[in-house]
């Protein structure tokens, strides 16, 4: 579910609190009736509940794919933490895991993304980065949750970005074949260059660090982007170029560099490297953040933020984490 379609932050929090409460084996019939009343009050409540279910299902799917031991360790670490206002979860998390296993069939979008990864020439899991040496001597880096096909023939060198983010350093080709990157929104032709491409929901982001890149959208408009420039484009529109920042590809070295950016911006980026829901209370979303944070340990990065800012990290569920004002 794209972030722009999500219910407001307070509604999502209510849904997570209800989910945690109902996961407790000691939940009472009265509490179940109260939840049903809340659920029926507003379509946004129903949408928020569905989203919490989806996030939980994906979380446990990912942990099971990574190995049951990892999932069990997370359950054990969370077993005695207090959630909502009054309850200790106890064995409830194990119940949630079992509940999600039998209650819900695989989510179509999650299944589609998994199929993309399995069918792609190269892919990465959430939180993983990978470097690929191309046949012509160029270099390709894949960021978290990314997938590409590499198609070289006599006429063309083509990188098809299925999902996620890549960084490319092109090499001179002895056969003078064009080097292009294809996304859902268009085609990028490298003019001797180093650049990054991020396939988002309905748009492509590109930043050029050396050389230049010719953009040709699927709908026709084109633009040559020079070194030091970035832009976002859809199938029919290209935004005016802005200034590219090399800090945007610090992920190549396992880092996120925050140079006086809003907390919300940093947390959105951190969320790409971990499973589950990660959100910020709007009251602290614009706090200024400076620092360098490891992407291979996103929870450690959250602890760093908690120690440096007037915030607290709240975990209603192992897959539902929010940053809130410190009381």
């Amino acid at each position: 579910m794209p972030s722009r379609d999500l219910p407001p932050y307070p509604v999502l929090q209510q849904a997570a609190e209800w989910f945690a409460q109902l996961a407790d084996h000691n939940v009472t019939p009265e509490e179940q009736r109260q939840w049903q009343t809340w659920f029926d009050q507003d379509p946004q409540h129903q949408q928020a509940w569905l989203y919490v279910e989806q996030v939980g299902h994906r979380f446990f799917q990912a942990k099971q794919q990574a190995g049951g031991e990892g999932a069990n360790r997370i359950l054990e670490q969370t077993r005695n933490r207090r959630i909502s206002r009054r309850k200790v979860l106890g064995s409830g998390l194990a119940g949630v895991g079992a509940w999600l296993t039998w209650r819900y069939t695989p989510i179509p979008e999650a299944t589609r993304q998994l199929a993309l990864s399995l069918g792609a020439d190269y892919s990465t899991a959430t939180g993983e980065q990978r470097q690929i040496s191309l046949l012509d001597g160029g270099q390709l880096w894949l960021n978290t949750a990314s997938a590409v096909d590499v198609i070289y023939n006599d006429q063309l060198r083509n990188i098809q970005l299925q999902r996620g983010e890549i960084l490319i350093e092109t090499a001179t080709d002895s056969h003078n074949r064009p080097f292009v990157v294809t996304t859902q929104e268009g085609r990028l032709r490298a003019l001797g260059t180093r650049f990054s491409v991020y396939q988002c929901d309905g748009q492509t982001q590109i930043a050029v660090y050396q050389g230049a890149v010719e953009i040709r959208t699927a709908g026709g408009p084109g633009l040559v982007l020079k070194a030091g420039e970035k832009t976002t484009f859809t199938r029919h529109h290209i935004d005016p170029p802005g200034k590219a920042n090399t800090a945007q590809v610090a992920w190549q070295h396992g880092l996120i560099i925050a140079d006086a950016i809003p907390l919300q911006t940093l947390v959105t980026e951190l969320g790409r490297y971990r499973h589950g829901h990660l959100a910020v209370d709007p009251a602290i979303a614009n706090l200024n953040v400076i620092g360098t944070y490891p992407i291979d340990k996103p929870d450690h990065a959250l602890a760093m933020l908690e120690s440096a800012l007037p915030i607290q990290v709240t975990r209603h569920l192992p897959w539902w984490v929010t940053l809130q004002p410190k009381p």
Side-chain angles (χ1 to χ4, degrees), residues 16-24 78-90 92-93 96 314-318 320:
E17 290 171 5
W18 272 118
F19 197 93
Q21 189 165 329
L22 294 184
D24 196 317
T78 319
R79 193 173 298 278
N80 295 318
R81 290 179 183 165
R82 181 170 298 277
I83 61 170
S84 71
R85 292 180 297 275
R86 63 178 180 81
K87 292 187 181 253
V88 174
L89 191 55
L93 280 176
V96 172
T314 303
R315 291 174 171 83
H316 291 291
L317 295 156
W320 196 276

Side-chain angles (χ1 to χ4, degrees), residues 138-158:
Q139 298 295 314
L140 170 67
W141 290 266
L142 279 70
N143 199 4
T144 177
S146 300
V148 299
D149 289 326
V150 178
I151 304 172
Y152 278 31
N153 55 39
D154 293 340
Q155 290 78 39
L156 190 68
R157 298 172 291 165
N158 185 9

Side-chain angles (χ1 to χ4, degrees), residues 94-152:
V96 172
W99 180 19
L100 287 167
T101 298
W102 68 262
R103 170 68 173 82
Y104 299 102
T105 56
I107 301 167
E109 176 61 16
T111 303
R112 187 183 75 85
Q113 296 292 0
L114 179 60
L116 282 175
S117 296
L118 293 176
D121 292 337
Y122 303 100
S123 64
T124 53
T126 297
E128 179 187 8
Q129 288 77 43
R130 185 176 181 184
Q131 180 177 358
I132 307 296
S133 294
L134 300 173
L135 293 175
D136 56 7
Q139 298 295 314
L140 170 67
W141 290 266
L142 279 70
N143 199 4
T144 177
S146 300
V148 299
D149 289 326
V150 178
I151 304 172
Y152 278 31

Side-chain angles (χ1 to χ4, degrees), residues 51 55 58-59 271 274-278 318-321:
Y51 176 70
V55 173
R58 290 173 180 170
F59 178 87
R274 66 187 305 280
H275 295 286
H277 176 85
L278 180 62
W319 66 86
W320 196 276
V321 180

Side-chain angles (χ1 to χ4, degrees), residues 167-190:
L167 173 66
I168 296 170
E169 290 183 359
T170 61
T172 302
D173 183 51
S174 58
H175 302 289
N176 294 319
R177 293 171 297 178
F179 186 101
V180 302
V181 175
T182 306
T183 74
Q184 296 173 16
E185 287 71 45
R187 182 167 170 168
L188 309 168
R189 178 173 177 174

Side-chain angles (χ1 to χ4, degrees), residues 7-326:
Y9 170 85
V11 178
L12 289 171
Q13 288 299 96
Q14 291 171 18
E17 290 171 5
W18 272 118
F19 197 93
Q21 189 165 329
L22 294 184
D24 196 317
H25 290 318
N26 296 320
V27 63
T28 67
E30 177 59 27
E31 288 172 326
Q32 292 175 333
R33 285 192 291 270
Q34 291 174 359
W35 168 79
Q36 189 67 59
T37 298
W38 172 86
F39 184 83
D40 294 336
Q41 277 178 347
D42 192 319
Q44 284 193 336
H45 295 179
Q46 299 163 26
Q47 185 184 22
W49 181 262
L50 176 61
Y51 176 70
V52 176
E53 289 179 335
Q54 289 178 337
V55 173
H57 182 75
R58 290 173 180 170
F59 178 87
F60 279 97
Q61 269 194 333
K63 294 306 174 184
Q64 288 168 356
Q65 290 170 5
E69 182 180 349
N72 292 334
R73 183 171 60 254
I74 289 176
L75 295 176
E76 183 63 31
Q77 290 172 349
T78 319
R79 193 173 298 278
N80 295 318
R81 290 179 183 165
R82 181 170 298 277
I83 61 170
S84 71
R85 292 180 297 275
R86 63 178 180 81
K87 292 187 181 253
V88 174
L89 191 55
S91 61
L93 280 176
V96 172
W99 180 19
L100 287 167
T101 298
W102 68 262
R103 170 68 173 82
Y104 299 102
T105 56
I107 301 167
E109 176 61 16
T111 303
R112 187 183 75 85
Q113 296 292 0
L114 179 60
L116 282 175
S117 296
L118 293 176
D121 292 337
Y122 303 100
S123 64
T124 53
T126 297
E128 179 187 8
Q129 288 77 43
R130 185 176 181 184
Q131 180 177 358
I132 307 296
S133 294
L134 300 173
L135 293 175
D136 56 7
Q139 298 295 314
L140 170 67
W141 290 266
L142 279 70
N143 199 4
T144 177
S146 300
V148 299
D149 289 326
V150 178
I151 304 172
Y152 278 31
N153 55 39
D154 293 340
Q155 290 78 39
L156 190 68
R157 298 172 291 165
N158 185 9
I159 307 295
Q160 294 185 347
L161 179 57
Q162 304 291 348
R163 66 183 177 104
E165 183 177 19
I166 57 176
L167 173 66
I168 296 170
E169 290 183 359
T170 61
T172 302
D173 183 51
S174 58
H175 302 289
N176 294 319
R177 293 171 297 178
F179 186 101
V180 302
V181 175
T182 306
T183 74
Q184 296 173 16
E185 287 71 45
R187 182 167 170 168
L188 309 168
R189 178 173 177 174
L191 305 175
T193 189
R194 181 175 187 264
F195 64 108
S196 63
V197 187
Y198 183 18
Q199 176 67 71
C200 305
D201 180 34
Q203 61 184 19
T204 298
Q205 296 177 4
I206 173 173
V208 180
Y209 306 105
Q210 295 175 7
V213 173
E214 180 186 32
I215 303 171
R216 181 61 62 182
T217 67
L223 175 73
V224 174
L225 205 63
K226 301 176 182 178
E229 294 182 332
K230 67 176 182 178
T231 191
T232 299
F233 64 92
T234 65
R235 295 177 65 86
H236 302 285
H237 174 77
I238 304 175
D239 289 345
K243 184 177 180 181
N245 186 344
T246 55
Q248 291 178 288
V249 287
W251 58 262
Q252 178 189 7
H253 305 293
L255 301 171
I256 296 175
I257 299 176
D259 184 13
I261 62 175
L263 177 61
Q264 178 66 71
T265 301
L266 175 60
V267 170
T268 299
E269 185 66 13
L270 276 174
R272 297 174 58 199
Y273 300 94
R274 66 187 305 280
H275 295 286
H277 176 85
L278 180 62
V280 181
D281 189 312
I284 57 173
N286 290 322
L287 286 176
N288 212 33
V289 182
I290 298 174
T292 301
Y293 301 88
I295 59 179
D296 62 335
K297 299 178 180 178
D299 288 331
H300 177 65
L302 294 178
M304 292 170 62
L305 289 170
E306 193 173 28
S307 66
L309 297 172
I311 66 173
Q312 66 178 16
V313 179
T314 303
R315 291 174 171 83
H316 291 291
L317 295 156
W319 66 86
W320 196 276
V321 180
T322 55
L323 276 60
Q324 297 176 323
K326 186 171 291 184

